[in-house]
Amino acid sequence: LRRSLKTRVTLFVLIIFLIAIWSVTFYASQTLHKDMERLSGDQQLSTVSFMAAEVNAELDARVEALKTIAARITPAMISTPATFQAMLEDQPTFYSLFNNGVAAAGVDGTVIAEFPRLPGRLGANFRERDYITGPLKDGKVTIGRPVMSKLMHAPAFVIAVPIRDAQEKVIGVLAGVTDLRLPNFLDKITKSTYGKTGGYLLVAPQYRLIVTATDKSRVMEKLPEPGVNAAVDRFIDGYEGSDILVNPIGVEVLTSAKSIPLAGWYVGVTLPTNEVFAPIHDMLIRARLGAIFFTLLFGGLTWWMLRRELSPMLATVKTLATLSDGTQAPKPLQITRRDEIGELIGGFNKLLQTLVQREGALSESEKRSRDIIDASPVPLCIVDEHENLIYRNDAFVRAIGYTAQDIPSLKEWWLRAYPDTQYRQWAADNWRKNLVDAKNSNRPIIPREVDVMCKDGSVRTFMISAVALGDISTENYLVALYDITGRKQAEIALKRSEQSLRLSEGQMSISQQISGTGTWVYNFDTKTVWGSAGSLRIFGFAADTKDLTLEHIEKCIPERERVHKAFVDLVTEGREYDLEYVIDPEDGSPSKVVHSIARLERDEQKNPHMMLGFVQDITERKRTEAERTQL
């Protein structure tokens, strides 16, 4: 039992211990992360709630102070600005609540009294400002929108209350101004920090604006537009609680917010998450270091055990590598222990013995096949799936004149055998398709007839075929060439003889049997023209005319009847030429003729061999038709 590989491998269940360590570490980190987020959020919310209550109380105190002073203002004071100004200046304690003083405006929004005096404020009209519009139109206390004051050139906001007469009619506005640049009651926010790097901020959500903050660079900062930051939008919409978000300056922070009911603002506190979760990160680092230590320890022990237990297999692998790299014949491997590995080596030795026997038989079979191919009088070659020429017999070399060095692949053969680029591409594509068909069907390619340019420049005709070697997974092909050049030349000569005989018989029949007609024949090979007696008579040539040419015949056609291109070219392109015109020879009377021209084909390539012309005198027929028309 101790020698069993199964027993020794069972010890490897210790790996489960390592998996457990890493799983517990991961689970603990996730749980602690959530707990720390919840706990820190609760602490933040408690702190920010206290700050919000303080700010709300401070704002309420200032509103009440303004209401108290406004209640002492009478219509007579407003109508006598000097008396009004004196009354405002007689309130020293009152001004401690507003670091930039107070001002009073009439129903038209024009400042009629202020303290302390600021350049440009007295007599200025602020009717369009929200802190003036609210008290005058709606008669309510208004905390205006924080703005950059043009008078003070600093961020500020205004608290304003309506001034009423005895009948509760609004007769003016009393406003207190807070300069955010100077010391003010909001310093509890701006001069406080939260943790090491966190801080507070006061936000006016209705304007998406930061009123003031611990970070002075963010005072009067515009928050992102709706839809840009979902977490910011959540707080803007009135959420009171904690959340993790990425602030507008790109830092991930834990943020808590609490509203200030009197102003419609909220106080927020932020702390970067890297500080919030710093204890967890430290603990995780220590846990990971411990896990890494135990992983290395157990990994080393496991490696030592595997090396000790599997040493016979490792020795076998080295032996196999040596045998595969060398040229010596493979030998059976040594069995050191009678366990599972020993049984595996024994099985391999049996397989090796079988493979050696099969390799010998295969080598002998390949030698016989190669001898048969070499002795074959038929040109044969073997190509691989990349069209590389991997073998050819002597008959193949004699047939095309190229050696394996001249044409290492079929691709090189295409360039040499087919100078015509278009025909070469067609032949190559067609050949590749045939190889694929031969491989998939496991049947030889149907022999195809091709013309090949040999090394000596001659063009020879071959019947070519191929078959895939082996089953459908094989990528080699046996290609055979059959030279049929002599047979094709004999067939072409026979066709020419037959066609020439038929032409001669036709000419004699036309000349002898048809009256008032004539024929002429142009031979493209000899460049000569033969004309029958009838054609010479119709064209006005003497019966013994020799050296007749195409130019003679073309001149007989009137200039007005000629087409834009010579009839020789038209017929060469495969178009028939038919004309009806009048011939006016020098030594005879005019004649009306019908002239038809066509070509006779030579072979399958449709190359023009002869041009045949047929001309008929229709003068009498036309005259008879005219007389019948008159009747």
Side-chain angles (χ1 to χ4, degrees):
L1 183 61
R2 289 179 300 175
R3 293 184 178 182
S4 174
L5 184 62
K6 299 177 182 178
T7 303
R8 295 193 299 270
V9 172
T10 304
L11 299 176
F12 297 153
V13 297
L14 292 175
I15 296 175
I16 299 176
F17 176 70
L18 300 179
I19 298 176
I21 290 179
W22 287 100
S23 299
V24 170
T25 301
F26 176 78
Y27 175 76
S29 65
Q30 295 298 313
T31 303
L32 290 175
H33 191 281
K34 293 180 180 179
D35 291 342
M36 182 65 74
E37 179 182 344
R38 178 178 52 79
L39 180 60
S40 299
D42 292 343
Q43 291 177 347
Q44 277 191 347
L45 188 59
S46 177
T47 302
V48 79
S49 297
F50 174 77
M51 296 290 290
E54 286 287 314
V55 173
N56 193 72
E58 292 287 349
L59 290 173
D60 186 64
R62 282 157 177 75
V63 170
E64 292 301 321
L66 287 173
K67 288 182 177 180
T68 301
I69 299 300
R72 297 170 53 188
I73 300 173
T74 63
M77 291 181 183
I78 293 178
S79 61
T80 55
T83 304
F84 198 175
Q85 181 69 36
M87 191 272 288
L88 289 180
E89 293 177 358
D90 192 31
Q91 306 293 329
T93 305
F94 178 62
Y95 302 119
S96 63
L97 300 176
F98 301 97
N99 60 10
N100 209 263
V102 295
V107 291
D108 61 351
T110 301
V111 177
I112 56 178
E114 64 169 341
F115 185 82
R117 294 182 180 273
L118 292 180
R121 185 161 66 180
L122 189 64
N125 189 287
F126 296 95
R127 183 174 183 83
E128 299 303 322
R129 298 294 177 88
D130 59 345
Y131 54 81
I132 296 295
T133 303
L136 288 180
K137 290 187 176 181
D138 303 327
K140 63 181 182 180
V141 176
T142 301
I143 298 178
R145 175 176 182 170
V147 295
M148 289 295 296
S149 174
K150 295 182 179 179
L151 296 177
M152 300 176 292
H153 302 291
F157 70 93
V158 177
I159 302 175
V161 299
I163 302 174
R164 302 177 184 272
D165 59 11
Q167 288 75 32
E168 293 299 319
K169 180 181 178 181
V170 177
I171 59 175
V173 178
L174 182 63
V177 184
T178 299
D179 188 340
L180 296 175
R181 179 187 54 183
L182 302 175
N184 59 81
F185 70 97
L186 297 177
D187 287 346
K188 294 179 181 180
I189 295 178
T190 59
K191 292 184 178 180
S192 300
T193 60
Y194 188 84
K196 294 181 180 179
T197 57
Y200 298 89
L201 48 85
L202 181 62
V203 178
Q206 59 270 51
Y207 310 116
R208 304 186 77 88
L209 185 69
I210 297 177
V211 180
T212 186
T214 301
D215 183 359
K216 295 298 184 181
S217 64
R218 303 193 66 187
V219 175
M220 303 300 291
E221 177 183 314
K222 187 73 173 176
L223 293 178
E225 295 298 325
V228 176
N229 191 315
V232 171
D233 293 343
R234 189 181 181 195
F235 286 115
I236 292 293
D237 293 338
Y239 172 68
E240 293 184 345
S242 302
D243 199 358
I244 292 180
L245 58 89
V246 177
N247 64 20
I249 60 177
V251 178
E252 185 182 70
V253 294
L254 175 63
T255 300
S256 299
K258 185 66 176 179
S259 64
I260 302 173
L262 188 61
W265 299 347
Y266 69 79
V267 177
V269 58
T270 63
L271 185 64
T273 53
N274 58 4
E275 182 177 341
V276 174
F277 303 117
I280 297 179
H281 292 161
D282 294 340
M283 185 201 70
L284 287 178
I285 291 175
R286 291 191 293 270
R288 288 169 182 169
L289 290 175
I292 291 173
F293 171 76
F294 284 109
T295 300
L296 294 176
L297 176 62
F298 285 101
L301 292 174
T302 302
W303 177 82
W304 174 80
M305 181 178 293
L306 286 174
R307 183 179 180 183
R308 178 178 178 277
E309 298 298 332
L310 299 180
S311 56
M313 183 177 292
L314 297 177
T316 300
V317 171
K318 292 181 180 179
T319 303
L320 290 175
T322 303
L323 292 176
S324 63
D325 294 337
T327 57
Q328 58 181 334
K331 300 179 180 179
L333 303 177
Q334 183 179 3
I335 300 176
T336 58
R337 288 199 303 236
R338 292 296 178 179
D339 56 8
E340 287 86 345
I341 296 179
E343 294 178 1
L344 176 63
I345 296 175
F348 176 79
N349 288 337
K350 293 180 181 179
L351 177 61
L352 183 62
Q353 182 180 2
T354 303
L355 291 177
V356 169
Q357 295 173 353
R358 290 184 179 179
E359 182 178 359
L362 180 60
S363 298
E364 185 178 353
S365 176
E366 289 181 350
K367 183 177 182 303
R368 288 197 301 269
S369 299
R370 190 65 57 90
D371 292 341
I372 293 174
I373 292 176
D374 287 339
S376 174
V378 178
L380 300 173
C381 68
I382 299 177
V383 296
D384 61 15
E385 72 276 13
H386 302 297
E387 300 184 9
N388 295 316
L389 189 63
I390 59 178
Y391 183 73
R392 82 282 180 276
N393 63 2
D394 293 338
F396 186 86
V397 174
R398 292 192 301 269
I400 63 175
Y402 292 109
T403 65
Q405 290 73 26
D406 294 332
I407 48 172
S409 68
L410 288 180
K411 297 177 182 177
E412 183 67 24
W413 188 12
W414 304 134
L415 296 176
R416 295 175 180 271
Y418 304 112
D420 185 274
T421 304
Q422 184 176 0
Y423 184 76
R424 179 198 310 151
Q425 186 62 45
W426 174 86
D429 293 342
N430 191 53
W431 176 250
R432 296 187 187 100
K433 179 180 180 299
N434 290 337
L435 289 183
V436 174
D437 293 341
K439 174 184 174 182
N440 294 336
S441 64
N442 199 23
R443 291 181 297 182
I445 295 177
I446 298 175
R448 297 180 183 274
E449 182 179 313
V450 294
D451 292 332
V452 177
M453 180 173 288
C454 299
K455 187 174 183 178
D456 59 3
S458 63
V459 177
R460 304 189 67 81
T461 304
F462 291 94
M463 292 294 289
I464 185 170
S465 183
V467 64
L469 296 177
D471 56 25
I472 196 170
S473 62
T474 304
E475 297 295 341
N476 290 343
Y477 305 89
L478 177 64
V479 181
L481 302 179
Y482 303 91
D483 192 344
I484 60 171
T485 305
R487 190 186 74 187
K488 292 296 294 183
Q489 291 176 347
E491 291 176 355
I492 293 174
L494 179 61
K495 289 182 179 180
R496 288 182 176 178
S497 298
E498 293 175 351
Q499 193 174 43
S500 297
L501 180 61
R502 287 195 300 269
L503 178 61
S504 299
E505 294 175 351
Q507 292 171 349
M508 293 177 61
S509 176
I510 293 173
S511 300
Q512 295 174 0
Q513 299 178 15
I514 302 178
S515 177
T517 62
T519 58
W520 57 269
V521 179
Y522 173 71
N523 190 312
F524 282 86
D525 295 329
T526 62
K527 310 298 183 184
T528 59
V529 176
W530 172 86
S532 66
S535 64
L536 295 177
R537 178 181 55 77
I538 293 173
F539 287 135
F541 298 135
D544 58 348
T545 299
K546 304 295 183 180
D547 300 324
L548 189 63
T549 66
L550 286 178
E551 286 75 15
H552 291 136
I553 296 175
E554 188 175 13
K555 288 180 180 179
C556 293
I557 302 174
E559 182 70 26
R560 65 179 180 275
E561 299 293 343
R562 296 179 190 174
V563 293
H564 70 282
K565 198 172 185 183
F567 65 87
V568 176
D569 296 332
L570 295 174
V571 175
T572 302
E573 294 173 358
R575 296 171 54 185
E576 294 185 355
Y577 191 93
D578 296 296
L579 273 183
E580 182 175 314
Y581 57 90
V582 176
I583 293 179
D584 191 6
E586 295 179 357
D587 56 346
S589 58
S591 301
K592 188 75 170 183
V593 300
V594 173
H595 195 176
S596 299
I597 305 171
R599 67 174 180 177
L600 298 178
E601 303 296 337
R602 174 172 56 188
D603 51 25
E604 290 77 8
Q605 282 72 33
K606 303 300 182 180
N607 296 319
H609 175 61
M610 291 184 179
M611 185 188 305
L612 175 63
F614 176 84
V615 59
Q616 181 180 9
D617 189 343
I618 60 172
T619 305
E620 292 297 327
R621 190 183 73 186
K622 287 292 184 180
R623 182 181 298 114
T624 302
E625 291 177 356
E627 292 174 354
R628 290 178 178 178
T629 301
Q630 293 178 357
L631 295 177

